[in-house]
Structure formats: C-alpha cells, structure tokens
Amino acid sequence: AQTVTQSQPEMSVQEAETVTLSCTYDTSESDYYLFWYKQPPSRQMILVIRQEAYKQQNATENRFSVNFQKAAKSFSLKISDSQLGDAAMYFCAFAQGGSEKLVFGKGTKLTVNP
Amino acid sequence: KAGVTQTPRYLIKTRGQQVTLSCSPISGHRSVSWYQQTPGQGLQFLFEYFSETQRNKGNFPGRFSGRQFSNSRSEMNVSTLELGDSALYLCASSSAASYGYTFGSGTRLTVV
C-alpha cells in the first residue's frame, strides 16, 4: 500500500521569506501523480501544485515550486516570498495512475509571521 | 464555473441515527470521491464514483455507503451513527485523477 509521510507537523516562516515543506512517499508503482493541497481555516482543500511522476522537470506555480526526487521518493514544496495568506495546513497527496484514490500525508501546519 | 457544492455545511445527529450528505460536482466532472477528515486519522478515502458506478472503496464499515446519480451528483449515507463518525466529510470531483481534484468545503458532522 502506498504511504505518504510529512515529517514536519508544524513550520513557521517570516513574511517575504522562503520555506520548504517536506514529503516522502512509498510506492512500487512507476505511474503516479503527486499533489500539494492547502487547507485554510475555511476548510476547503485547494490544489496548490501537481507533478506527474514521468516528468523530470519540477512543477512551478507562481511562488510555489516543488523539488521532485523520484529515486529518493521525495516531493518537497517550496514557497517563496511567503504571504500572510499562505498560512494554512498543507497536505501532500499521492495518486496511483489509473486510480482515483488520493492518499494523504498527515499535514504540516504553516504559520506566517508578519 | 461553480465549484463543488456540499450540503449541509453543519450537521448534528444523535448516536444511532442515520445521515445523508450531498455533493454536487463541478459541471462536466464525472468522478466524485468522498473523504473523512479527523484530527486523529487525518484524511481517509471513503469511496469514489464514476458514471453512477462505485470504482473504489476505502476501508470503512458497511455503515458507510454512497451513490451517484445520472447528473453526477453524489450522496453518502452513514447509518447507525457512532460517536467516532464525528468528522469533516469532504467531497471532491475530477475530470481525471491526473489533473487533481477540486474539493468542496465539506460537511461537519457531529454525533452526540
């Protein structure tokens, strides 16, 4: 069974600084997708960024980028120029190719200090 | 484009009762998934429907069931509620898993 591990229950960053959230996963499959979701206090899960396992290039979405290390099964999220609105729970998630099931990590609570 | 709509937002039920939660996916999305979120267990997959057929089921007791209608709207039902069923229930829709899922705001169920 696939597992996703987020080793940092909480992280904090100063506004305008950069922070990296860690995620590792375990799978024997070669076809899969990885995601980072953000869940603010409003509860709605918001897709931040996604990565196809077959793509070597790291995904980037504005201030958000990932460092995808397939051999190490690592998928970290870097947030640049952190903003107060980035404060939220961040979940790393895995989906095997052909499956519609997301496997989530336990999440990292990010605090942004002014 | 309207997002994923879940109703109701909050629900309080008594142990032993049953409950039905509703989810309207994004127009054109045929896959609807349900997740249970609790502080202790985190986010756990309940089931996924595509074109009215359940394609995947998580490791939950038979008290948890769901269905999908021809318009892709989905409902999940929990019978004989237990205190441990108190959770945030999230619905997500997708056109394909590779594109990621769009989640609703969830239904907060409290069982007393």
Side-chain angles (χ1 to χ4, degrees):
Chain A
Q2 292 89 5
T3 58
V4 177
T5 302
Q6 294 179 249
S7 59
Q8 308 149 316
E10 296 188 30
M11 292 280 285
S12 64
V13 63
Q14 291 295 127
E15 197 175 2
E17 296 294 308
T18 296
V19 65
T20 298
L21 308 184
S22 301
C23 172
T24 58
Y25 59 95
D26 186 26
T27 183
S28 58
E29 303 295 328
S30 59
D31 179 23
Y32 55 88
Y33 303 88
L34 295 162
F35 308 89
W36 277 98
Y37 279 90
K38 167 186 176 182
Q39 188 178 39
S42 66
R43 306 177 337 197
Q44 185 162 14
M45 299 279 282
I46 301 165
L47 178 63
V48 175
I49 199 165
R50 67 182 181 92
Q51 173 82 42
E52 295 94 333
Y54 63 86
K55 287 188 177 180
Q56 293 187 341
Q57 186 174 5
N58 289 325
T60 299
E61 289 287 343
N62 301 313
R63 298 182 295 108
F64 299 87
S65 61
V66 298
N67 183 3
F68 175 45
Q69 300 290 325
K70 191 171 184 178
K73 296 180 181 176
S74 170
F75 183 61
S76 60
L77 174 70
K78 186 172 82 171
I79 306 174
S80 304
D81 185 26
S82 295
Q83 300 175 1
L84 295 177
D86 294 334
M89 283 291 291
Y90 285 82
F91 293 94
C92 179
F94 169 101
Q96 182 179 324
S99 169
E100 304 296 316
K101 171 185 173 182
L102 283 171
V103 178
F104 286 91
K106 293 292 188 184
T108 297
K109 182 180 180 180
L110 178 66
T111 301
V112 181
N113 300 310
Chain B
K1 193 172 183 180
V4 178
T5 303
Q6 289 189 248
T7 56
R9 288 267 293 176
Y10 299 92
L11 208 48
I12 300 176
K13 289 288 188 178
T14 303
R15 196 169 42 180
Q17 287 186 313
Q18 75 166 15
V19 67
T20 299
L21 311 182
S22 179
C23 173
S24 293
I26 288 176
S27 177
H29 285 188
R30 296 164 66 187
S31 172
V32 175
S33 300
W34 290 88
Y35 291 83
Q36 181 196 65
Q37 186 177 22
T38 60
Q41 297 299 315
L43 283 147
Q44 293 186 287
F45 173 78
L46 280 156
F47 28 65
E48 184 257 344
Y49 287 87
F50 183 87
S51 293
E52 301 179 66
T53 300
Q54 186 183 88
R55 294 197 299 188
N56 282 295
K57 190 178 192 313
N59 188 26
F60 278 82
R63 300 185 296 107
F64 291 81
S65 63
R67 60 177 175 169
Q68 186 180 33
F69 302 95
S70 58
N71 61 358
S72 293
R73 190 177 72 84
S74 178
E75 290 181 347
M76 70 163 280
N77 184 277
V78 187
S79 63
T80 319
L81 284 165
E82 301 177 358
L83 296 178
D85 297 333
S86 295
L88 179 65
Y89 289 89
L90 292 165
C91 170
S93 75
S94 172
S95 57
S98 58
Y99 295 112
Y101 290 83
T102 302
F103 282 80
S105 295
T107 294
R108 172 77 67 187
L109 172 65
T110 302
V111 182
V112 297

